[in-house]
C-alpha cells in the first residue's frame, strides 16, 4: 500500500482522486479473503458460527464477506481474538486500518493485552472473557480516587509479568486515576478549538452559540457538552466530525485523533481518504478559518455526496450542515 500513500500525497484534483479511490475500493476484496481464511482455519461451518466466535451479528459477518471493512476499533479487536492473535499481531491489525495499538493507560486495552499475553495459560481467552473482567472492575475503576502515577513504559512492563486475573485487577485499581484521566489532553484540545471558533459576541455559552450558528445536531451538541464536562468516550467518526466542525487542518485533526488514542486519518480507507483530500483542498483554497463558519463542513459534505458506496456514515452526514440550515448566517 506504500505506493498508494505517496500517490495520494501528490493528488491535487478531483478526477485523479476518483481514480485513486477506485483502487482503494478494489482493496476491499483483501478483507473478504481474510474473513474467508478465518472462517476456514477456525473450522466455522456457517456464518452464524463465525458471528458467535467474533461476538457480532450474522449480518455483520455477511458484510465482511461482501468486502466491507469494519468501521469500529472494537470489531477489529474481536476479529483479532478470533484469529488467536498475539499482542504484536493485534497491534499490527489495528494500526493497519488506522486505529491506535493497544494502549496500557486504557484499562480495557490493559485487559486485552493481559489475556493475549496469557492465552496459552487461560482456557477461556477470547473477547467475551475480556469483557467479563472489564465489567467486573469497571465501577471500581471509575470510583477510585487515590492512585499512583506510573509512566506508560512501566505499565507495559508490569503487564508483561502478570499471570492471573486478581493480580491484573489489583494493578488496574492501583492506577485507576491514570485510566480515568487518559483523555484529559483530548478534552482540553477540543475545548481550546471551541473557544477559538467562538464569535466573541459576549455570549457566556460559547457552545450553544456555536451550535446555533453551525446548525449542530443534538448528537453533536451533546458530545461537545460531554467533552466540556470531561465525560465523553471518543468514537472515531464523531471525533472526525468534531474536527471538521471546529475548522481544523489535517495536521490538527490528526493530532486530536492521537490525543483520543487513535491513529491518524487512514489513507487506505475509502471514507477517510475523502476527508484527507477535502481538508488538503480546503487548505490550498484558504477555506479553513477558526471563525465558527461552516464553509469547511459544506466542502466536506459536497465531496462525500459525489460517492455512493458508503454504508455507515449516515450519522456523520447528518452532523454536517447544509446551505439551507437555519443556523447558517
Amino acid at each position: 500500500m506504500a505506493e498508494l500513500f505517496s500517490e495520494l500525497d501528490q493528488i491535487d484534483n478531483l478526477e485523479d482522486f476518483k481514480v485513486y479511490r477506485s483502487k482503494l475500493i478494489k482493496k476491499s476484496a483483501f478483507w473478504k479473503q481474510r474473513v474467508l481464511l478465518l472462517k476456514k482455519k477456525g473450522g466455522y461451518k456457517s456464518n452464524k458460527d463465525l458471528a458467535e466466535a467474533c461476538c457480532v451479528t450474522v449480518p455483520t459477518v455477511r458484510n465482511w464477506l461482501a468486502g466491507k471493512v469494519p468501521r469500529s476499533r472494537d470489531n477489529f479487536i474481536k476479529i483479532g481474538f478470533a484469529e488467536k492473535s498475539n499482542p504484536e499481531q493485534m497491534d499490527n491489525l489495528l494500526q493497519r486500518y488506522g486505529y491506535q495499538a493497544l494502549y496500557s493507560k486504557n484499562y480495557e486495552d490493559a485487559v486485552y493485552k493481559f489475556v493475549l499475553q496469557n492465552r496459552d495459560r487461560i482456557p477461556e481467552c477470547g473477547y467475551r472473557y475480556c469483557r467479563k473482567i472489564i465489567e467486573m472492575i469497571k465501577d471500581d475503576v471509575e470510583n477510585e480516587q487515590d492512585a499512583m502515577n506510573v509512566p506508560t513504559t512501566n505499565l507495559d512492563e508490569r503487564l508483561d509479568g502478570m499471570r492471573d486475573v486478581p493480580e491484573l485487577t489489583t494493578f488496574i485499581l492501583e492506577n485507576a486515576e491514570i485510566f480515568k484521566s487518559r483523555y484529559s489532553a483530548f478534552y482540553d484540545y477540543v475545548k481550546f478549538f471551541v473557544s477559538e471558533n467562538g464569535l466573541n459576541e459576549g455570549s457566556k455559552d460559547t457552545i450553544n452559540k456555536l451550535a446555533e450558528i453551525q446548525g449542530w445536531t443534538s448528537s453533536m451538541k451533546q458530545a461537545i457538552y460531554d467533552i466540556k464536562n470531561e465525560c465523553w468516550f471518543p468514537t472515531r467518526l464523531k471525533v472526525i466530525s468534531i474536527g471538521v466542525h471546529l475548522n481544523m487542518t489535517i495536521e490538527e485533526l490528526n493530532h486530536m485523533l492521537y490525543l483520543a488514542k487513535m491513529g491518524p486519518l487512514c489513507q487506505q480507507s475509502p471514507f477517510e481518504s475523502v476527508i484527507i483530500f477535502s481538508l488538503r483542498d480546503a487548505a490550498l483554497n484558504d477555506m479553513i478559518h477558526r471563525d465558527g463558519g461552516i464553509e469547511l463542513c459544506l466542502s466536506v459534505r459536497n465531496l462525500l455526496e459525489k460517492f455512493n458506496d458508503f454504508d455507515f456514515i449516515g450519522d456523520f452526514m447528518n452532523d454536517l450542515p447544509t446551505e439551507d440550515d437555519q443556523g447558517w448566517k
Side-chain angles (χ1 to χ4, degrees):
M1 295 296 289
E3 71 279 4
L4 285 180
F5 294 165
S6 59
E7 184 180 344
L8 180 57
D9 291 338
Q10 300 299 317
I11 291 174
D12 60 2
N13 66 82
L14 181 58
E15 292 308 312
D16 286 347
F17 174 68
K18 288 180 178 179
V19 173
Y20 164 85
R21 193 173 175 281
S22 68
K23 297 176 184 178
L24 296 182
I25 298 299
K26 292 177 182 178
K27 294 292 180 180
S28 65
F30 289 133
W31 181 255
K32 176 180 178 179
Q33 293 304 315
R34 181 172 189 144
V35 178
L36 284 172
L37 181 62
L38 169 59
K39 186 175 180 181
K40 180 179 179 180
K41 290 179 68 175
Y44 305 113
K45 296 181 179 180
S46 67
N47 289 350
K48 182 178 179 181
D49 291 339
L50 181 56
E52 176 71 14
C54 293
C55 306
V56 297
T57 64
V58 173
T60 296
V61 169
R62 291 198 193 106
N63 285 338
W64 293 348
L65 290 171
K68 296 177 180 178
V69 179
R71 65 176 187 266
S72 76
R73 182 177 185 267
D74 198 50
N75 273 350
F76 282 109
I77 291 173
K78 292 175 181 178
I79 290 167
F81 273 105
E83 292 179 334
K84 298 182 173 21
S85 300
N86 60 36
E88 182 179 359
Q89 291 167 334
M90 181 71 84
D91 286 346
N92 288 340
L93 173 62
L94 291 170
Q95 292 176 322
R96 176 181 175 84
Y97 289 93
Y99 291 95
Q100 173 82 17
L102 294 178
Y103 182 64
S104 295
K105 285 190 175 181
N106 179 320
Y107 76 91
E108 295 187 358
D109 281 6
V111 172
Y112 296 142
K113 290 184 74 169
F114 165 79
V115 173
L116 290 169
Q117 288 165 355
N118 293 278
R119 59 181 182 148
D120 294 334
R121 300 178 57 259
I122 302 175
E124 187 184 3
C125 62
Y127 178 82
R128 284 190 180 85
Y129 183 67
C130 293
R131 298 311 305 182
K132 288 180 182 177
I133 298 175
I134 289 167
E135 289 304 314
M136 179 178 68
I137 63 179
K138 182 178 180 180
D139 289 342
D140 289 334
V141 171
E142 296 302 326
N143 293 328
E144 185 71 26
Q145 297 298 323
D146 298 320
M148 303 181 335
N149 188 3
V150 180
T152 305
T153 51
N154 289 2
L155 294 178
D156 286 332
E157 290 172 0
R158 290 184 61 188
L159 270 175
D160 288 343
M162 289 181 189
R163 293 293 179 267
D164 58 54
V165 174
E167 186 180 3
L168 172 70
T169 302
T170 299
F171 161 75
I172 289 177
L173 292 180
E174 283 179 349
N175 297 280
E177 200 63 32
I178 295 175
F179 298 122
K180 286 171 62 179
S181 64
R182 64 192 181 274
Y183 296 120
S184 58
F186 166 77
Y187 297 143
D188 290 343
Y189 194 75
V190 175
K191 285 187 279 189
F192 169 77
F193 272 87
V194 169
S195 175
E196 286 285 289
N197 277 270
L199 305 176
N200 298 319
E201 295 179 352
S203 173
K204 293 183 179 180
D205 193 343
T206 303
I207 294 176
N208 194 55
K209 186 64 177 178
L210 189 56
E212 178 185 346
I213 295 300
Q214 290 193 339
W216 287 0
T217 60
S218 58
S219 171
M220 173 63 68
K221 193 172 180 179
Q222 186 62 54
I224 298 298
Y225 271 116
D226 285 346
I227 288 170
K228 178 184 178 183
N229 295 323
E230 302 194 353
C231 62
W232 188 68
F233 185 85
T235 57
R236 190 170 181 86
L237 278 182
K238 187 64 78 175
V239 170
I240 295 172
S241 180
I242 288 170
V244 173
H245 279 79
L246 297 182
N247 294 298
M248 294 185 187
T249 64
I250 188 170
E251 293 80 12
E252 291 164 344
L253 201 159
N254 277 335
H255 185 63
M256 179 171 62
L257 286 166
Y258 168 78
L259 295 176
K261 317 306 178 190
M262 301 174 186
L265 291 169
C266 183
Q267 299 191 33
Q268 61 189 335
S269 160
F271 166 67
E272 293 187 19
S273 66
V274 174
I275 304 300
I276 292 171
F277 179 80
S278 185
L279 293 183
R280 285 180 178 164
D281 183 70
L284 287 172
N285 289 284
D286 194 29
M287 295 169 56
I288 302 180
H289 307 284
R290 298 180 197 168
D291 58 2
I294 63 171
E295 188 176 12
L296 181 60
C297 289
L298 295 177
S299 176
V300 171
R301 170 180 278 279
N302 180 59
L303 187 57
L304 286 170
E305 288 177 342
K306 295 183 184 298
F307 304 100
N308 60 1
D309 51 10
F310 299 117
D311 65 338
F312 62 87
I313 64 165
D315 290 342
F316 186 92
M317 291 295 286
N318 288 338
D319 275 348
L320 295 174
T322 68
E323 292 186 4
D324 296 328
D325 279 333
Q326 294 299 312
W328 185 42
K329 66 175 184 179

